[in-house]
Structure formats: C-alpha cells, structure tokens
Amino acid sequence: MSALTRITAPDGVAPAAQYSHVVLGTGRFVAVSGQIALDEDGKVVGEGDPAAQARQVFENLRRCLAAAGAGFDDVIKLTYFVTDTAHLPAIREARAAYIPDDRLPASSAVQVAALVRPEFLLEIEAFAVIGA
C-alpha cells in the first residue's frame, strides 16, 4: 500500500464534505474502467434501483482493485456517471460500506443523458496508487 495524503480544504478553497479536493501519493498507478451493475454472470443487478446498482458497482470495483493488488484505501479518485443526480445519496450510502469518511478520495460526479444500456443508472471508474 502506498502512503496517501488527502487534502479536503486547500488554502482558499471551500472544504469538501463528501470527497477530498486533493489526494497525492507515490507508487504504481492503477486505473479501473467504469463499472456498471452487472453480476459475475453478466446479468443486470437492480434494474430501476439505484441503491442495488450502487452496491453491485462498488463490489465490482472492489474485485477489480483486488485483481491489481489494491483496495479502497489506495483509491485516489472516483468518477461517478449518473443518469440522475438524485441517485447520489444511494451511491454515497453504498460507498460508505467500502470507504470510511476519513479516507475519501477525490471525486467528480457527472450527470449523463444515458449509459451504454438504458437499464444502467450509474457507472463508476476508479484510480488508485499502490506501493512500488
């Protein structure tokens, strides 16, 4: 695991409540492609249910990070793509099961018109740094 520094309130920038403005560290960079709510058999989980989809997406992220020798403690950035920003509370709740409030990564949330298939409500990509 790399040593990461999280800065929630850089000088002159309003403090972040649900993310860190800056995360830095040294080590190997890991990029995880956007994950959607598919189970290991490729079946959609939680059609129409943002909370169920968010839980599946975070589990998929966990598995992808593990494949690279990483975990959520190593994540420096999450990007959320949502079809409706009303889904963000459900995503935050799912995230809380994997990432404690004192280890929040930098984050961006983008509302999109659609994802790859209409049954998907959200997609999340991750960037991490792990020890060399």
Side-chain angles (χ1 to χ4, degrees), residues 1 6 9 16 31 41-42 45 53 56 60 63 69 76 81 88 96 98 101 105 108 118-119 124:
M1 180 184 338
R6 290 169 176 81
D41 296 321
V45 172
Q53 287 199 15
Q56 182 65 48
N60 291 350
R63 290 174 180 174
I76 59 170
F81 301 95
L88 290 173
Y98 292 89
D101 284 347
S108 298
E119 60 265 42
I124 305 172

Side-chain angles (χ1 to χ4, degrees), residues 41-111:
D41 296 321
K43 294 186 172 85
V44 176
V45 172
E47 190 166 346
D49 182 349
Q53 287 199 15
R55 288 189 300 271
Q56 182 65 48
V57 167
F58 273 97
E59 181 57 21
N60 291 350
L61 287 168
R62 184 195 67 75
R63 290 174 180 174
C64 290
L65 288 164
F72 281 104
D73 280 351
D74 303 304
V75 171
I76 59 170
K77 175 84 185 321
L78 292 173
T79 305
Y80 306 94
F81 301 95
V82 296
T83 58
D84 188 334
T85 57
H87 302 326
L88 290 173
I91 293 169
R92 285 188 204 109
E93 186 175 326
R95 181 189 66 195
Y98 292 89
I99 305 173
D101 284 347
D102 66 339
R103 308 208 41 91
L104 293 174
S107 298
S108 298
V110 181
Q111 185 168 336

